[in-house]
Amino acid sequence: MPDSTVRRLNPNKLLLSKWTAAKPQNKEKHFLVTQLIKPELPDSPIEHIELEAIYSHRSFILPWRDLADTGQWLQGWQ
């Protein structure tokens, strides 16, 4: 059995959700989804989100599906 499992998420409900890095780096442990990145075509589904580290305020864009990997991300602040 793999050490990480996959959870089901709805990308439209991710805005302002809280996440904890499973393996924190640079004291960045807690994150907040600050933006849903709209696709170029209006009818296309959301593919990316912007995450902001609470500690450093550094933000980055990643595919929202990465949050489903419990080996990388834990839902909520833990």
Side-chain angles (χ1 to χ4, degrees):
M1 184 171 167
D3 63 351
S4 62
T5 58
V6 175
R7 71 172 65 83
R8 294 178 56 88
L9 298 171
N10 180 343
N12 296 312
K13 295 183 178 181
L14 290 175
L15 187 62
L16 301 179
S17 62
K18 298 173 182 177
W19 296 88
T20 299
K23 298 171 187 161
Q25 296 179 356
N26 303 320
K27 298 183 182 179
E28 294 177 340
K29 182 176 181 179
H30 297 125
F31 294 82
L32 187 69
V33 176
T34 56
Q35 187 176 356
L36 304 177
I37 308 300
K38 304 289 183 200
E40 288 184 27
L41 300 174
D43 295 335
S44 299
I46 293 170
E47 294 290 331
H48 294 87
I49 58 160
E50 182 177 72
L51 262 187
E52 181 178 323
I54 300 304
Y55 177 78
S56 66
H57 299 286
R58 181 179 69 92
S59 63
F60 56 96
I61 294 173
L62 75 156
W64 70 264
R65 287 180 179 85
D66 287 1
L67 295 175
D69 182 355
T70 58
Q72 293 182 13
W73 298 103
L74 306 172
Q75 201 163 13
W77 288 347
Q78 301 174 23

